Amino acid sequence: MHTLRSYLCDRWIEGSGTTQTLFNPATEEPLAKVCSEGLDLTAALEHARRKGGPALRALSFAERGALLKDAAKAIQAHRDALLNLAVENGGNTRSDAKFDVDGAIFTLQTYAELGASLGAAKFLVDGEGIQLGRSPRFHGQHLCVPRAGVAVHINAFNFPAWGFAEKAACALLAGMPVLSKPATSSAMAAHRVMEILVEGKILPDGVLSLLVGSSRELPALLESQDVLAFTGSGDTGMHIRSLPNVVRESVRVNVEADSLNAAVLGPDAEPGSEMYETFLKDVLRDMTQKAGQKCTAIRRVLAPDTVAATIRDDLVEGLKAVRVGNPALEDVRMGPLATNTQLADVREGVGKLAAEGMAAFGSAAPIATTGVDAGRGFFISPVLMEFPKDAPAEAVHAREVFGPVASLLRYSGKAVEAVSTIARGNGALVSSVYSEDAAFLEEIVAGIAPYHGRIFLGHPKIEMSPGPGTVLPQLVHGGPGRAGGGEELGGARGLALYMQRVALEGSRPVIQKLIGAQSD
Ligand code: NAP
């Protein structure tokens, strides 16, 4: 079995000490080992700061964008191999794998185009200049410049390729070198992406590093000019945020954490209508795509009382058709969970939900699977929980069950009630609303907007709608409260995390000359 190496200080290096094993979660076959013990992370971070930072900051946005374009092309050229790795090590069906790998390529391409559009500049001019005195000579101008440290990216297990790319695209275009740490259990795809970029000599020295293995000391090594972008559980996010160096040095931290995303069917969407079918399709896709291991997956389904039973029956019919098994097989629709720990966690979560509601479909019990030896693999069936109208349903609004699990909740059909139910989730990445009733939409969007990073307005006329679960690089990704309070992507907005906003104050001609503007 081969050992995955880290890429630090521009060379491949293996840790020495206790190793961890990566598995195929469908067959439990061991695939690779990793070890991060004994690696000199202080030197690796310093190398990125001293070598990668200046190299990137010497480039214009267009030149940095060209690097991203080359990176996207190189990954595209190895797409099939990456899809196979995502199937093997991630438990992804081929369609799940495309979601991750193609998402990575598209995000890099989008930021490459943004770089081209920003042209020869090396920093961003933020807003209009401001006259500060009685005469126009006393002038102010905000700028955003790349921070002088290293961007450390700690990613979750569910999107090894996309998670790597979406964070790296923003940091590199902004002008910061990156040290990326994928989640250990599914690190093979991120590791292969790194190999592809190194083999292709795509990036200048020091600009990109990869750390594989469960290094826990990394965040404690960060300094005031560094940035830490973390995706994972709320508990780890809280731990990282409260590290003494992070607090003392004001290390900029972005946390993308848990989320109890909701989908609401409006009172106007009758069963059988196009809107109703769109809603059903989105809920079913979100429950089963990547076995529900998407931070944006629909967890809470809000159904008007009058049609709740019909929705339940239709969802149950849809779930019955989902074949669970070895994701390498074409007719399998849903693969396993990523790890045994994940399986235990989801089972425990289903137990918590079941204490207050009842299962309309599925359970936490072992299931029969296709194409896998009996008893092998980290499989669970999709689970749809149902709750009576007056049930307190505490766990539904407090516990993210990170698997193919959703809860059906009844509401009166009034927007105000849907808003207060959704707000019980205490902040989410995305919720979706399916309605054409203008008054309902206006009230619900205004009510839930403060609790979300994104609101998806489902509509049957949106061609090839990706549904609420797809994060597009043009729109912000993140959410308040439970979701971590972070913000990534969103086109040019995504660069802000990696830049320092500075106000220049002085003589207008001097400032205009400095920023390369035409004086008038
Ligand atoms: P996790 O245990 O918090 O791990 C996430 C990452 O943090 C992994 O790379 C992990 O490394 C690392 N890590 C864990 N403890 C650490 C520590 N003390 N110091 C430094 N790094 C540490 O989360 P998970 O269970 O793998 O991921 C699932 C969670 O991620 C779900 O709750 C999901 O909602 C959330 N998620 C959120 C988003 C979003 O965008 N909001 C996206 C995807 C997932 P190892 O793998 O080496 O342990």
Side-chain angles (χ1 to χ4, degrees), residues 460-473:
K461 297 288 185 271
I462 303 175
E463 282 164 33
M464 315 263 296
S465 165
T470 300
V471 174
L472 296 170

Side-chain angles (χ1 to χ4, degrees), residues 405-424:
V405 182
S407 297
L408 183 65
L409 304 163
R410 292 160 186 259
Y411 82 107
S412 61
K414 293 206 166 67
V416 63
E417 194 184 323
V419 168
S420 68
T421 302
I422 291 172
R424 288 181 67 192

Side-chain angles (χ1 to χ4, degrees), residues 1 86 92 97 176 201 321 328 465 500:
M1 198 184 342
N92 290 191
M176 278 194 89
K201 299 188 175 27
S465 165
Q500 178 63 38

